[in-house]
Amino acid sequence: MSSQKLLLENAHIEGIRYYDVYRKNGGYRSVEKALKMAPDEVVEEVKKSGLRGRGGAGFPTGMKWSFIAKPEGVPRHLVCNADESEPGTFKDRYLMEFLPHLLIEGLIVSSYALGSNVTYIYIRGEYAWIPDILEQAIAEAKANGFLGKNILNSGFDCEIYVQRGAGAYICGEETALIESLEGKRGNPRIKPPFPAVKGAWDRPTVVNNVETLAAVVPIINIGGEEYAKIGVGRSTGTKLISACGNINKPGVYEIDMTISVEEFIYSDEWCGGIKSGKRLKACIPGGSSVPILPANLLLKTAKGESRIMNYESLSDGGFATGTMMGSGGFIVLDEDQCVVKHTYTLARFYRHESCGQCSPCREGTGWMEKLLLRLDQGQGKLSDIDLLWDIQSKIEGNTICPLGDAAAWPVAAAIRHFRDEFEWHITNAAEAQTRNYGLAHYADPLPVSEPVAV
Amino acid sequence: MADEIKQEPPANFKVTIDNVTLDVPPGTTILQAARLIGGDVTPPAMCFYTPLKGSGGKCRTCLVEVSKGSEKDPRPMPKLVASCRTTVMDGMEVKSITSERVINARNSVVEFLLINHPLDCPVCDQAGECHLQDLSYEHGKAGTRYEFKRRTFKKHNLGKYIQLHMTRCILCYRCVFTADQLTNKRQHGVLDRGDHAEIATYIEKSLDNQFIGNVIDVCPVGALTDKTFRFKNRVWFTKPVDAHRDCPNCCGKVTLWERGNEVLRVTARKDQWGEILPAEDGKTGWICNECRFEKKDINDWVIEGPMKVARHSVIGANHYEVLDRPKETISAVMGGRAPKLLMDIHSISEVNDPGVDLSKIPGPATGAVFNREKVIEEKKD
């Protein structure tokens, strides 16, 4: 079964990076169509599509757009969040590198819908070669009348600027991104006020992920209702998944959110199974911040149903037995991976990337990293596991921005599902330095709890 | 007339904090409302500073639970909110010390703040007027669960008057806001991020602005200290008196910290929350470097009278006779046994002269002063 492609449909065409080829293959149709509609109609179309933010949180895009304040005489801004720094996520890079015009097209339509005459693309500093690609695409679009003054005689003016970040994960948080865009230190702001009311330079601002904005193009082309028919339930449309880790075919895949996780990992059309014929141990399905799941809970939910690659199914069971769709950074771990070391690596990342503004995150991430390093080196104590659990619970929900939660969840999930392995690292410390815990029972089918008769 | 009535400010909001209801004007934050109630209900605040625009929200010690959003939208807020940056809504219900979640969160924030803070209060110049010290007495635990090396930094000299000891810093950003808002040239910011972030003047530039000394006053801990005062005296041995002078740069209204007739330190006047008081004539209460560092002669100042102190620090307790004698503590440390004899030192020893209350002696309570007092009293007789 082949999934319907909306974003990467033309990605294989030679030269699609350039305006002429892109235009010949149906590019910029949505701009022509949208500019004949009223801005509110465009917003309505996106609302109908049920498109949800592709950056991680999954907030309905149409609703986010309708929140933007429209005070008289104050310019509004659309900012494209291309600060894709979540470990395991590289879908936006692929999109911008191979289909820059798709993003520009989506940006023009979205800017029109929101009334943004100056739109920014904030791109992470590490993507050093991509701003050139984007700037070339912007120049081409401008030369062909899709940007600048009075686009297609509609009276709508729009300019797009590319702003490079300086390499900070925190600048992917929307208010930190706005601070950084303004030229300040990238510290998240305290909300409220939300960016939709007071964003960049205190003007109403909408910040959207690259993939979200690119998805506006097929929505306008085929119509919101048609788009909503793809997928299932509230997970409409298609989603880019960047698969990586111990799989045969890592890469960026577009799925329509109806295939099962098992099919996604083992089908030759997608990941092509686990590398070197090993067995699946664990997986982080949505980028490093979302909870890690052992193989048994990943493939089947606690109710015994097959887990599907969409927002609802992946989060089925809450954090106790489920995880999140997140940004679509699909990280697969085979039986030879050590969850303790893996958790330490993530904790080290979050410690390094914490902005240091609020105390629980600044101090807690460093503390967790030190404890996990000690555990990984076989010098831990059993009480350290409880301490880690306590620290993560005290960071979660008490911070200014979601980075605190993002740092706490992987540690919590690793302890929740892999406590045996942590304990083995302590009780068999010497052995743990020479070999891995292995698959253990993490792929064993779980008993499905029968509903209790009252 | 009808138009004028419409122009009147909107009605006050009713807010309930820990079952105490009060009316406050719209725009008041939960913290400000709680401060009106005072006492234990008031959340501690380490980073919020009323005169500094944009401060607050960072330290997370003032987290409170909003159990009812407002009359219009009664849903509770899912997360604890920073009371210093959340404005009240009409009919809002807030839980501070009545919520277990809040107490837990507050205790954990204190633990986080202390894991990398050097616990060397006895040798720290801020001891006695340190907000973190107060906070850890109120919410901290006696032991620590942190078993790693604490983070340290080198000491820095910020100009000739101010010393920065980053090791003690809790990154409240107050000094950054002060430098930003009081001085014309911003040189004072934060470098790096996370737990290795540090307050710094950009590439070690010294700060020569007339008002930069105020960063010492806003610092809640001993990270920024006055080099003209450092280690000259413990604050609880000094006597704070309000004084003023005619200053061309600032309001000139200060607090002098004296010992005898010697002015050891000059600071701005602060209220019970440790915040700079505005001067009566509507000017800001910030004082200039000249007043703060150069005028250390008692003749430079017109003394107004002793400073009123409350709440923060041992200076606030000042008169030790109000303290309860710790009888319970004695039996606790003696393993449940009561002491055979609990003696009042004054009743059995002439050395400490029961007739003289130490805290009422003007100036330092040294032996010389003590004897002189006696001489004066004898002469009276």
Side-chain angles (χ1 to χ4, degrees), chain B residues 149-199:
Chain B
K149 228 180 131 186
R150 281 161 202 268
R151 163 179 81 220
T152 53
F153 294 90
K154 277 184 187 155
K155 290 191 186 92
H156 287 285
N157 286 325
L158 307 188
K160 56 179 180 173
Y161 294 125
I162 308 168
Q163 189 168 67
L164 169 66
H165 197 187
M166 259 314 290
T167 308
R168 306 193 190 285
C169 178
I170 57 162
L171 282 168
C172 68
Y173 280 66
R174 280 182 187 174
C175 57
V176 178
F177 286 111
T178 310
D180 225 16
Q181 291 169 24
L182 292 188
T183 65
N184 313 322
K185 200 170 155 194
R186 183 187 166 135
Q187 286 181 338
H188 196 86
V190 177
L191 292 180
D192 284 334
R193 57 176 186 236
D195 56 1
H196 41 283
E198 56 182 304
I199 302 290

Side-chain angles (χ1 to χ4, degrees), chain B residues 223-273:
Chain B
L224 288 162
T225 44
D226 182 343
K227 276 164 76 179
T228 63
F229 175 67
R230 261 175 85 79
F231 302 123
K232 285 219 175 127
N233 217 313
R234 308 297 340 209
V235 284
W236 56 86
F237 290 141
T238 60
K239 281 199 166 293
V241 292
D242 285 345
H244 67 264
R245 71 181 267 267
D246 196 14
C247 176
N249 304 317
C250 66
C251 63
K253 293 184 166 41
V254 300
T255 301
L256 303 180
W257 301 75
E258 297 181 323
R259 182 146 184 183
N261 276 338
E262 195 185 351
V263 177
L264 294 176
R265 176 170 77 156
V266 184
T267 67
R269 286 184 200 174
K270 298 182 189 179
D271 64 12
Q272 57 170 323
W273 315 108

Side-chain angles (χ1 to χ4, degrees), chain A residues 116-131:
Chain A
S116 160
N117 301 114
V118 182
T119 296
Y120 297 92
I121 302 173
Y122 184 92
I123 186 161
R124 72 183 291 208
E126 288 91 335
Y127 286 173
W129 68 102
I130 294 179

Side-chain angles (χ1 to χ4, degrees), chain B residues 128-129 134 234-242 255-258 305-324 357-365:
Chain B
E129 53 179 2
D134 297 338
R234 308 297 340 209
V235 284
W236 56 86
F237 290 141
T238 60
K239 281 199 166 293
V241 292
D242 285 345
T255 301
L256 303 180
W257 301 75
E258 297 181 323
M307 181 181 90
K308 282 185 184 129
V309 260
R311 191 170 184 268
H312 282 299
S313 83
V314 293
I315 308 164
N318 220 344
H319 297 281
Y320 293 104
E321 77 252 45
V322 300
L323 292 178
D324 291 332
D357 192 324
L358 286 181
S359 60
K360 287 184 181 148
I361 294 176

Side-chain angles (χ1 to χ4, degrees), chain A residues 286-430:
Chain A
S288 65
S289 315
V290 310
I292 186 172
L293 280 186
N296 47 14
L297 277 173
L298 177 75
L299 302 179
K300 292 245 189 301
T301 65
K303 294 175 213 149
E305 292 158 357
S306 172
R307 214 182 269 281
I308 312 292
M309 296 282 284
N310 64 36
Y311 290 98
E312 284 79 27
S313 183
L314 281 172
S315 58
D316 185 276
F319 278 6
T321 59
T323 174
M324 276 169 78
M325 182 89 193
S327 60
F330 196 83
I331 309 167
V332 179
L333 280 72
D334 72 21
E335 56 186 307
D336 286 340
Q337 304 307 317
C338 172
V339 172
V340 178
K341 190 169 200 73
H342 173 82
T343 313
Y344 160 66
T345 315
L346 291 182
R348 194 179 61 170
F349 172 79
Y350 288 110
R351 184 252 181 107
H352 186 257
E353 295 296 343
S354 165
C355 79
Q357 210 186 174
C358 58
S359 348
C361 176
R362 177 183 68 233
E363 306 293 349
T365 51
W367 195 358
M368 291 200 300
E369 188 219 335
K370 285 177 183 149
L371 282 168
L372 282 160
L373 177 65
R374 190 160 83 175
L375 284 173
D376 183 45
Q377 291 176 340
Q379 287 147 8
K381 298 179 283 187
L382 281 171
S383 61
D384 287 351
I385 302 175
D386 291 334
L387 183 55
L388 270 174
W389 183 266
D390 195 48
I391 297 169
Q392 70 78 19
S393 71
K394 283 170 172 175
I395 299 174
E396 193 204 339
N398 288 342
T399 53
I400 294 175
C401 81
L403 193 139
D405 301 343
W409 290 341
V411 176
I415 297 176
R416 189 183 293 123
H417 300 301
F418 298 90
R419 195 174 178 115
D420 304 9
E421 188 164 348
F422 279 87
E423 285 174 3
W424 181 80
H425 257 261
I426 297 157
T427 51
N428 300 48

Side-chain angles (χ1 to χ4, degrees), chain A residues 17-313:
Chain A
R17 225 186 90 178
Y18 303 103
Y19 175 80
D20 294 337
V21 182
Y22 183 75
R23 180 78 172 133
K24 239 178 257 167
N25 285 282
Y28 290 101
R29 268 184 304 145
S30 68
V31 178
E32 292 167 331
K33 191 173 169 188
L35 291 188
K36 285 185 194 123
M37 298 156 73
D40 286 345
E41 285 169 3
V42 180
V43 176
E44 203 50 45
E45 219 43 56
V46 174
K47 262 190 186 168
K48 267 190 252 168
S49 74
L51 174 68
R52 291 170 71 174
R54 303 292 198 230
F59 192 80
T61 306
M63 207 194 284
K64 188 171 184 173
W65 286 9
S66 62
F67 288 156
I68 191 167
K70 290 178 179 166
E72 199 68 31
V74 181
R76 301 187 284 273
H77 292 294
L78 171 67
V79 180
C80 170
N81 184 349
D83 192 82
E84 182 185 47
S85 315
E86 182 98 344
T89 312
F90 46 89
K91 60 182 177 71
D92 296 345
R93 183 188 74 197
Y94 184 91
L95 201 76
M96 290 187 288
E97 191 170 352
F98 295 101
L99 293 158
H101 280 286
L102 183 68
L103 174 61
I104 305 300
E105 188 179 347
L107 277 171
I108 299 167
V109 174
S110 311
S111 302
Y112 176 68
L114 293 162
S116 160
N117 301 114
V118 182
T119 296
Y120 297 92
I121 302 173
Y122 184 92
I123 186 161
R124 72 183 291 208
E126 288 91 335
Y127 286 173
W129 68 102
I130 294 179
D132 297 340
I133 297 173
L134 290 172
E135 268 163 3
Q136 193 188 353
I138 291 167
E140 284 176 344
K142 198 166 180 180
N144 288 284
F146 284 101
L147 277 173
K149 292 245 174 276
N150 195 14
I151 299 166
L152 304 178
N153 295 319
S154 63
F156 175 63
D157 308 335
C158 184
E159 292 288 347
I160 299 177
Y161 298 101
V162 182
Q163 173 66 42
R164 288 159 217 235
Y169 174 65
I170 190 62
C171 290
E173 198 277 338
E174 59 178 1
T175 51
L177 185 150
I178 288 168
E179 286 276 300
S180 179
L181 184 68
E182 289 180 6
K184 300 177 192 157
R185 178 185 164 84
N187 277 358
R189 292 179 183 170
I190 293 141
K191 291 180 264 187
F194 289 92
V197 180
K198 264 188 174 187
W201 299 281
D202 282 354
R203 298 163 183 170
T205 306
V206 165
V207 183
N208 276 134
N209 178 259
V210 172
E211 193 193 336
T212 317
L213 292 167
V216 172
V217 176
I219 289 171
I220 297 303
N221 280 338
I222 65 172
E225 272 161 29
E226 277 303 306
Y227 187 88
K229 284 177 191 161
I230 305 164
V232 58
R234 287 181 62 226
S235 301
T236 59
T238 61
K239 173 91 184 83
L240 295 183
I241 302 286
S242 53
C244 61
N246 307 113
I247 46 173
N248 281 320
K249 287 165 64 190
V252 177
Y253 298 103
E254 186 171 4
I255 60 161
D256 65 7
M257 301 205 256
T258 55
I259 61 166
S260 71
V261 177
E262 190 165 5
E263 190 188 347
F264 185 72
I265 295 178
Y266 289 104
S267 160
D268 278 339
E269 194 185 339
W270 316 110
C271 302
I274 310 292
K275 218 169 181 177
S276 315
K278 289 182 186 172
R279 290 168 297 174
L280 172 71
K281 179 178 183 179
C283 175
I284 305 173
S288 65
S289 315
V290 310
I292 186 172
L293 280 186
N296 47 14
L297 277 173
L298 177 75
L299 302 179
K300 292 245 189 301
T301 65
K303 294 175 213 149
E305 292 158 357
S306 172
R307 214 182 269 281
I308 312 292
M309 296 282 284
N310 64 36
Y311 290 98
E312 284 79 27
S313 183

